[in-house]
Amino acid sequence: ALFIGIYIPSNAMKSSPLDFTDVFHYCDPSKYLIYPLVTSLGVFVVWGSVLYFMSSDKVRKILCLITISLSVIFTCDYTLFKVYYGDIKARLIYTMADMSRTSYLFETCVLIVVVACILYLVYRHLMKYMNYFLVASIIIVAAFGGYNILQIHKAIEGHSYAPEHLETASIKLNRNGKNVVVIMLDRALGTVVPYVFNELPYLSEQFDGFTYYPNTVSLGAHTNTGAPGVFGGYDYAPENMDMRDDMLLKDKHNEALLMLPLMFLEEGADVTLCDPPYADYQVMTDLSIFDEYEGIDSYITTGAFNEYSNDQYEEIVRLYRRNLFCFSLFRAMPPCLHSLFYDGGNYNDPDYLYDYRYMCHYTYDGSRSIGYDPDFLNSISVLDSLPMITDVGTGDNMTYTVLVNYTTHSEMILKEPEYSPEYRTNNTQYDEANSSRFTLGDESLNVENYRGLSHYQVNAAAYIRLGLWFDYLREQGVYDNTRIIIVSDHGYDLGLKPDWSNDSVSAEVYNPVLMVKDFDAEGFTVSDEFMTNADTPFLAVTGLIEDPVNPFTGNPVDTSYKDDGEVTVFASHDFFIGDNNGTAFIPGPWYYVSDDMRGIDNWEYAGEW
């Protein structure tokens, strides 16, 4: 009862406590552990006791043997068979749940035989010590469960600042001054841009003045390594961050987030920051690092405009009442039975898709789906609300705005061609009639599965909403005097471009979007110039701040890092800042990339350090 009811679910929750709560319904998620605990006590203690005391002496012995055998087998299943299904989301769904019915089948059979033999020997020779063993087991499991709960509570308590930063965002732009807007779309794919704009040609008109840079490389594979360069330039390339090993990564990351805001403040600009990632190296970003700087307005927007937020909260609480216990049973089973108990994340709930419509998204294939992905709703609602939170003034001073958004990081099948979220989606006819949209000349996107198509769709959804916002900026008379940079921290490996990969690295992971519109620019153009996402700060300040210098390092803000046509890319996948938070990044593989990042022959392995 304690192993299934407390230890397993608390272990899952402890791995990332903040994923089990949200800033708009902030609470200690360990309170939800009461549900699996009570259910386990009911199943194993109450009903187990009823069955035991209603049975004959012979059946009681059999029940005891079965109970102890299953306890040992479940413990061994959970601790010995370390199967990996990707990250687990708050709704107890894995990102990579590929479960085989034959996984560890032989090992499971061997385990059962070994456990049977050991229990037989214990029964024959050590039965007088069994009570000591059982009491010790109860104490140990309860202690580990209690420790997990304390860790969860400590993590949540360390983020108590979060609910204090829920003021409604306001993006300031001026009609008579220069405006600079940096939009970081997390995990937006550079690869899909030409295909989306080909399918939706009206986007080229809405994105008038933009230059798209397809030959752009990210200097890191994930937000912790790729984002610092986006905000702070080449001083915060992974290579240069590692060289400054007298400072914590947290402090260097904070410098990157603060660099441009402080430079623009010095010029008298109004500064607005929305959802800067990992501020103070916290998963739930800590905006308090900006409090001491008068003139910087910072906001949390993700989830602030989601009309289904309360429905989602009610559903997640209801889901935990049943499925935390079911999740524990699934994790305690031999891997060969995981698929049966996991049931695609439904945990054998026949009403799952109808009870949790705002919390769970299920796809039958790449064209049909049911339900909503809550992460997508939290993010797309921000882009939908941009006209509402844009405050256009008549002043002549500069403004600097950063908007970080996770629409492109969330996977969901959307209604085509509007690319909008619907409870029930069926794109079968549209997909069949428009299969050619993934081919441009001699180039094609290899969109063969749900993940590839969903990423394409969420990228399209983001550009559609941004296009509508740009139309609004035109109506307000602030489009031409606004420099806009759309960039992402990294790409993602979806196999969309198979020829971009070899056995050791996929260039797709490191191909972020980069699109730039300068003041009064016209037309939508494409440039094959070799760029990195760390060019963003230079692009933001050029022509506005004379001889720009990083206020923390004293180094010029420029692009000299890539003057020789080669950059150093960190290919580590240690992206958990809870672990990777020393003075330098945990060692990983490095590559030299030159000329054209899309050609895998231009990726040279540099070693691991």
Side-chain angles (χ1 to χ4, degrees):
L2 291 175
F3 186 69
I4 298 292
I6 284 290
Y7 179 70
I8 293 180
S10 67
N11 231 20
M13 200 173 283
K14 184 191 71 172
S15 64
S16 187
L18 296 176
D19 287 341
F20 289 83
T21 188
D22 74 83
V23 69
F24 296 97
H25 300 92
Y26 199 73
C27 66
D28 186 339
S30 62
K31 73 176 187 178
Y32 301 130
L33 295 174
I34 191 67
Y35 301 133
L37 177 60
V38 170
T39 305
S40 288
L41 290 172
V43 171
F44 298 117
V45 177
V46 176
W47 287 108
S49 298
V50 169
L51 183 61
Y52 178 84
F53 288 112
M54 290 181 63
S55 302
S56 63
D57 289 342
K58 183 177 180 180
V59 173
R60 288 181 182 183
K61 290 181 178 180
I62 295 173
L63 289 174
C64 285
L65 180 62
I66 291 174
T67 301
I68 295 176
S69 299
L70 289 179
S71 296
V72 176
I73 290 172
F74 286 170
T75 304
C76 292
D77 287 337
Y78 185 73
T79 56
L80 297 181
F81 299 143
K82 296 294 185 181
V83 290
Y84 179 70
Y85 298 130
D87 302 327
I88 186 170
K89 298 188 177 184
R91 52 196 187 276
L92 307 178
I93 296 176
Y94 284 98
T95 57
M96 299 166 55
D98 184 14
M99 302 177 186
S100 169
R101 294 291 180 91
T102 60
S103 178
Y104 288 95
L105 180 58
F106 174 76
E107 291 86 346
T108 299
C109 294
V110 171
L111 174 65
I112 292 173
V113 172
V114 170
V115 169
C117 292
I118 292 174
L119 288 178
Y120 175 76
L121 293 174
V122 169
Y123 177 74
R124 295 286 295 176
H125 305 290
L126 300 172
M127 201 59 190
K128 61 182 178 180
Y129 300 110
M130 182 57 69
N131 283 343
Y132 299 107
F133 169 75
L134 294 177
V135 170
S137 298
I138 290 171
I139 293 173
I140 291 171
V141 173
F144 276 115
Y147 174 77
N148 287 345
I149 292 173
L150 288 176
Q151 292 298 104
I152 296 167
H153 178 71
K154 182 179 178 181
I156 295 299
E157 195 175 47
H159 290 78
S160 58
Y161 57 81
E164 300 174 4
H165 298 283
L166 300 183
E167 182 183 359
T168 301
S170 176
I171 297 174
K172 296 177 182 178
L173 300 175
N174 285 328
R175 290 192 178 95
N176 300 315
K178 298 291 188 182
N179 307 300
V180 178
V181 177
V182 175
I183 302 170
M184 194 193 93
L185 299 174
D186 197 298
R187 200 202 279 176
L189 308 175
T191 50
V192 306
V193 171
Y195 301 90
V196 171
F197 277 59
N198 181 62
E199 180 189 357
L200 308 172
Y202 61 84
L203 288 177
S204 297
E205 297 179 9
Q206 293 177 316
F207 281 66
D208 182 46
F210 274 90
T211 298
Y212 160 57
Y213 295 93
N215 184 19
T216 300
V217 64
S218 171
L219 302 181
H222 298 279
T223 303
N224 64 326
T225 53
V230 171
F231 299 105
Y234 290 104
D235 278 346
Y236 305 96
E239 180 182 32
N240 289 333
M241 289 181 74
D242 274 357
M243 288 181 181
R244 298 167 62 197
D245 58 4
D246 59 336
M247 292 178 62
L248 290 172
L249 289 172
K250 177 188 77 170
D251 297 326
K252 288 176 277 193
H253 189 91
N254 287 346
E255 281 187 6
L257 295 179
L258 280 163
M259 188 191 80
L260 283 181
L262 294 184
M263 292 172 65
F264 276 100
L265 271 183
E266 187 69 20
E267 299 296 319
D270 294 322
V271 177
T272 303
L273 307 176
C274 298
D275 302 272
Y278 294 161
D280 212 32
Y281 244 35
Q282 301 291 343
V283 174
M284 191 172 286
T285 196
D286 185 357
L287 300 181
S288 63
I289 70 168
F290 307 107
D291 288 349
E292 64 179 282
Y293 303 101
E294 186 176 352
I296 297 180
D297 296 325
S298 56
Y299 305 98
I300 293 175
T301 63
T302 304
F305 306 99
N306 183 0
E307 62 180 310
Y308 303 117
S309 177
N310 291 331
D311 296 310
Q312 290 173 353
Y313 178 68
E314 292 174 2
E315 287 185 0
I316 198 69
V317 173
R318 190 164 69 245
L319 181 145
Y320 287 155
R321 287 175 185 164
R322 177 188 187 274
N323 284 3
L324 272 173
F325 173 76
C326 297
F327 168 81
S328 295
L329 278 183
F330 144 69
R331 290 301 304 184
M333 292 295 159
C336 56
L337 297 178
H338 279 184
S339 177
L340 177 64
F341 280 80
Y342 182 71
D343 186 33
N346 297 342
Y347 298 96
N348 297 290
D349 182 350
D351 298 319
Y352 184 85
L353 297 178
Y354 304 98
D355 287 345
Y356 311 113
R357 57 188 297 148
Y358 299 112
M359 279 303 303
C360 298
H361 179 66
Y362 179 80
T363 178
Y364 302 98
D365 51 40
S367 298
R368 298 177 301 134
S369 68
I370 187 172
Y372 297 98
D373 180 271
D375 296 331
F376 182 82
L377 294 179
N378 283 338
S379 300
I380 195 71
S381 57
V382 178
L383 300 185
D384 284 329
S385 301
L386 284 178
M388 181 185 74
I389 63 175
T390 301
D391 180 12
V392 178
T394 58
D396 58 4
N397 59 310
M398 279 197 298
T399 70
Y400 174 66
T401 300
V402 171
L403 173 66
V404 179
N405 188 265
Y406 301 93
T407 296
T408 49
H409 197 284
S410 312
E411 300 178 36
M412 183 174 174
I413 295 297
L414 306 173
K415 181 184 178 183
E416 298 168 336
E418 299 90 343
Y419 292 104
S420 59
E422 300 282 347
Y423 176 62
R424 289 183 180 274
T425 301
N426 189 341
N427 296 320
T428 304
Q429 291 184 346
Y430 185 88
D431 287 341
E432 291 175 353
N434 294 274
S435 59
S436 61
R437 61 186 157 153
F438 301 125
T439 300
L440 272 178
D442 297 331
E443 296 287 328
S444 295
L445 281 183
N446 184 38
V447 181
E448 294 184 345
N449 54 43
Y450 154 73
R451 301 202 75 195
L453 185 56
S454 64
H455 275 81
Y456 176 90
Q457 291 184 342
V458 296
N459 276 259
Y463 298 133
I464 290 172
R465 272 65 181 185
L466 288 178
L468 293 174
W469 187 48
F470 298 157
D471 286 342
Y472 176 79
L473 297 185
R474 289 185 183 90
E475 294 172 5
Q476 298 299 314
V478 291
Y479 186 75
D480 289 336
N481 66 315
T482 300
R483 174 182 288 165
I484 304 173
I485 303 170
I486 301 173
V487 64
S488 58
D489 48 352
H490 55 84
Y492 201 55
D493 184 14
L494 296 162
L496 299 177
K497 294 285 187 178
D499 56 337
W500 288 23
S501 304
N502 58 28
D503 292 337
S504 59
V505 66
S506 169
E508 276 189 66
V509 177
Y510 309 92
N511 183 222
V513 67
L514 179 61
M515 290 192 280
V516 182
K517 185 199 81 71
D518 212 344
F519 304 114
D520 298 312
E522 295 181 351
F524 183 84
T525 58
V526 179
S527 171
D528 276 327
E529 181 182 353
F530 183 47
M531 304 288 283
T532 83
N533 55 0
D535 288 328
T536 301
F538 174 77
L539 295 169
V541 302
T542 186
L544 296 177
I545 300 178
E546 186 176 355
D547 299 323
V549 173
N550 182 340
F552 298 104
T553 66
N555 296 327
V557 178
D558 57 25
T559 61
S560 58
Y561 182 84
K562 60 172 187 172
D563 277 354
D564 61 357
E566 181 178 86
V567 296
T568 308
V569 172
F570 191 32
S572 169
H573 293 290
D574 285 317
F575 57 87
F576 290 112
I577 59 174
D579 301 322
N580 201 347
N581 56 17
T583 58
F585 292 113
I586 295 172
W590 297 78
Y591 288 85
Y592 299 129
V593 183
S594 58
D595 300 328
D596 191 336
M597 67 82 59
R598 297 163 293 184
I600 198 64
D601 293 337
N602 296 325
W603 288 70
E604 178 187 351
Y605 178 64
E608 184 162 334
W609 64 81

